[in-house]
Amino acid sequence: MAKQKTTVGTINNETLAFTAGRDVELDHALITVDCVGTAAHVTMLSKMPVEPALITAEEREQVIAGLVEIIALARDDKFKIKLADQDVHLAVERTLTKKLGDLGKKIHTCRSRNDQVAVDLRLYAKEQLLFTLEEAAALVAALVGFGKKHEKVPMVGRTHMQPGMPSSVGLWATAHAESLLDDCVALVNAYELNDQCPLGSAASYGVPLPIDRQLTSDLLGFGRPTHNVLYANNGRGKMEGIVLSAMSQVMLSLSRLAQDFMLFTMPEFDYFKLPAEFCTGSSIMPQKQNPDVCELVRAKASRVKAAELGVYDLVKGAPTGYNRDLQEAKELFMEGIATTRSCLRILAPMIKETKVNKKALIDGFTPDVFATDRALELVGEGMPFRDAYHYVKENLHELESIDPSEAILLKTHLGAPLGLDWDYFKGRTNAVKETVREERKAFHRAVSKLLGVKYPAE
């Protein structure tokens, strides 16, 4: 069987293809962050207090310049990861060695590929979580705008999918918005846990040279380094699972929102009308406008949860130390994040263009929907609740003249249809946006200083 020489040994082609898996393809998303991580590592090596210096200040500048070139090539989709490289890490090392000779062979000093993939995925997650928060905030704003515009439009509130009590479009929309705002808290928590630099772990057990892990962490704009070098590697898989758990909570909120849209746009309800450009037609039925976006969001929620569980299953029985099983987590991780972000992006503009059918919403009320409100009114007049309950149950005909629009005007307490605090939603949404701005600014500032060029390049 044919063999191929690689940086880490001679391997037969079938084994090489099997062990590389999809890394050659997937790692294109990690080229820039791998270069950034290498820049920090080399900078740290150049400052290590040893004689002679492992890497001089001048050599460090040469490596950084080479890394900046690779980042530019990646931006133009011109950097190639070969099968013989196996992954982005060795592709970058090969490229630098070809350009810089023996200097390129020095960059892996005190570092393992375990180090590299761990820091790459954390840097990748850092940026992806900020994008996700930004997109979630945009969807929250769309839902709140929709709710505020239709604040006083009555809508039947349902339990067990059956008519229950008077509600409003504003209450319905902002319920989904508040769910997403809580999901943003989970995303921020995942961001904070992810914001630890694992570099310096090497093969999980540290190195016998005086590396400065705090410096490396600072150079990359992390909040702190992971402390225990063995956990720095054991955190692989666990960290991806934490991020995917936060993503799956977002998808849970989106799936329920999508399900509501599918119900309330049915002709039997006709409460809402989805914009035609967000629907698809039938190949045989000319009249159809299908809510395919909503159906796919619902399905993709299961895909994201499956990705989370897939990573969990990969690591739950793994012994301490690095295991190659973790390679299979990368695709699940990237897919789960990308799927969540695509759903957030498609729903925000759809909601902005959705139309409300006020007549259908009001026509959806039947006298029994006002039963609980009427019972509570009788309680307010002095009747014991259970007596009021039975009285109304036996005299539903007395509720036929109640106006839904008037009924919701009576619900003014905190969080009720006419007690919605619009500043509350605005404040929480702005707080998410501010977190994104501050964290992104700090990260970009750190990497720009490290590389000596503006990051990201415009």
Side-chain angles (χ1 to χ4, degrees):
M1 186 177 290
K3 300 178 181 179
Q4 193 162 166
K5 186 177 181 180
T6 74
T7 305
V8 291
T10 300
I11 309 172
N12 76 56
N13 287 343
E14 188 171 340
T15 301
L16 182 61
F18 180 79
T19 55
R22 293 197 63 206
D23 276 2
V24 173
E25 175 188 347
L26 296 171
D27 279 11
H28 278 85
L30 302 178
I31 296 170
T32 295
V33 291
D34 193 75
C35 288
V36 170
T38 296
H41 182 68
V42 169
T43 299
M44 183 275 294
L45 291 178
S46 73
K47 297 179 182 297
M48 190 187 300
V50 294
E51 293 291 343
L54 288 178
I55 292 180
T56 67
E58 181 181 347
E59 288 175 328
R60 180 250 176 203
E61 294 299 326
Q62 293 178 53
V63 173
I64 297 292
L67 292 168
V68 170
E69 286 182 17
I70 292 172
I71 291 172
L73 288 171
R75 189 170 59 246
D76 296 333
D77 199 26
K78 293 181 179 178
F79 184 77
K80 303 302 179 187
I81 302 173
K82 301 177 181 179
L83 180 59
D85 296 322
Q86 301 178 63
D87 53 42
V88 64
H89 322 302
L90 293 183
V92 170
E93 182 177 332
R94 169 183 57 79
T95 303
L96 288 176
T97 300
K98 182 177 180 181
K99 179 181 178 64
L100 303 174
D102 286 347
L103 176 56
K105 299 176 184 178
K106 294 182 179 182
I107 66 171
H108 205 61
T109 305
C110 297
R111 186 175 65 165
S112 165
R113 278 190 292 177
N114 301 346
D115 260 337
Q116 290 180 270
V117 68
V119 79
D120 286 4
L121 290 174
R122 286 186 184 247
L123 290 171
Y124 175 83
K126 180 190 281 275
E127 294 191 310
Q128 292 297 314
L129 281 163
L130 292 177
F131 281 126
T132 306
L133 281 163
E134 195 170 49
E135 290 153 359
L139 179 53
V140 169
L143 283 164
V144 172
F146 185 86
K148 190 172 184 179
K149 181 178 180 181
H150 305 291
E151 177 183 13
K152 296 182 180 179
V153 177
M155 181 178 185
V156 174
R158 296 172 184 275
T159 63
H160 306 275
M161 291 186 67
Q162 303 302 310
M165 295 177 68
S167 182
S168 67
V169 173
L171 191 73
W172 172 84
T174 54
H176 290 291
E178 191 166 357
S179 180
L180 273 170
L181 286 169
D182 280 354
D183 296 334
C184 286
V185 175
L187 289 168
V188 170
N189 287 339
Y191 180 90
E192 291 174 350
L193 286 169
N194 178 75
D195 196 23
Q196 304 175 70
C197 182
L199 273 177
S201 165
S204 298
Y205 304 103
V207 295
L209 291 176
I211 60 174
D212 188 341
R213 296 188 61 229
Q214 183 66 57
L215 173 61
T216 310
S217 178
D218 293 343
L219 289 169
L220 290 171
F222 279 104
R224 60 191 181 281
T226 54
H227 179 72
N228 184 294
V229 292
L230 178 54
Y231 176 64
N233 265 315
N234 271 6
R236 281 282 315 281
K238 181 180 180 69
M239 192 53 55
E240 288 94 309
I242 288 170
V243 172
L244 287 172
S245 175
M247 295 289 168
S248 70
Q249 286 301 312
V250 172
M251 291 303 299
L252 179 62
S253 295
L254 300 191
S255 182
R256 298 189 75 180
L257 173 64
Q259 178 65 61
D260 275 4
F261 269 122
M262 284 185 280
L263 286 172
F264 297 142
T265 54
M266 290 171 61
E268 291 81 357
F269 283 100
D270 200 26
Y271 290 173
F272 304 136
K273 179 72 173 177
L274 294 175
E277 60 269 28
F278 286 87
C279 299
T280 60
S282 164
S283 63
I284 189 172
M285 295 172 281
Q287 83 283 8
K288 292 299 293 294
Q289 282 195 327
N290 300 320
D292 286 9
V293 165
C294 296
E295 291 170 349
L296 287 170
V297 167
R298 186 175 58 183
K300 289 175 186 295
S302 297
R303 291 287 297 269
V304 175
K305 190 65 179 179
E308 178 197 344
L309 294 175
V311 172
Y312 180 92
D313 270 353
L314 285 171
V315 299
K316 67 177 174 59
T320 296
Y322 177 75
N323 301 279
R324 192 65 177 261
D325 311 46
L326 284 169
Q327 179 174 308
E328 294 299 304
K330 185 186 296 180
E331 183 174 1
L332 296 170
F333 183 54
M334 291 181 169
E335 180 189 348
I337 292 173
T339 299
T340 303
R341 290 189 56 201
S342 69
C343 291
L344 287 166
R345 289 196 302 271
I346 196 71
L347 286 176
M350 187 190 81
I351 287 165
K352 288 180 181 178
E353 299 300 321
T354 294
K355 303 299 181 186
V356 169
N357 186 344
K358 185 175 180 180
K359 182 179 184 302
L361 283 155
I362 292 176
D363 288 347
F365 281 81
T366 51
D368 57 294
V369 175
F370 306 105
T372 303
D373 284 11
R374 178 57 184 153
L376 291 172
E377 286 177 3
L378 293 173
V379 169
E381 296 169 6
M383 186 181 293
F385 174 74
R386 194 55 65 196
D387 291 344
Y389 173 97
H390 287 294
Y391 175 83
V392 172
K393 189 172 185 176
E394 294 165 5
N395 296 278
L396 291 176
H397 63 278
E398 294 181 1
L399 309 177
E400 293 176 357
S401 63
I402 296 178
D403 182 346
S405 298
E406 295 296 324
I408 63 170
L409 294 178
L410 300 175
K411 298 186 175 187
T412 59
H413 63 74
L414 176 67
L418 268 294
L420 295 170
D421 185 345
W422 301 106
D423 288 338
Y424 164 83
F425 290 109
K426 182 178 180 181
R428 286 192 67 181
T429 306
N430 286 341
V432 173
K433 293 178 181 178
E434 183 61 22
T435 295
V436 172
R437 278 193 295 268
E438 291 301 314
E439 292 296 330
R440 183 175 283 154
K441 187 196 313 181
F443 177 58
H444 289 175
R445 184 169 56 241
V447 177
S448 296
K449 183 179 179 181
L450 173 65
L451 298 178
V453 296
K454 182 176 174 57
Y455 180 87
E458 295 176 350

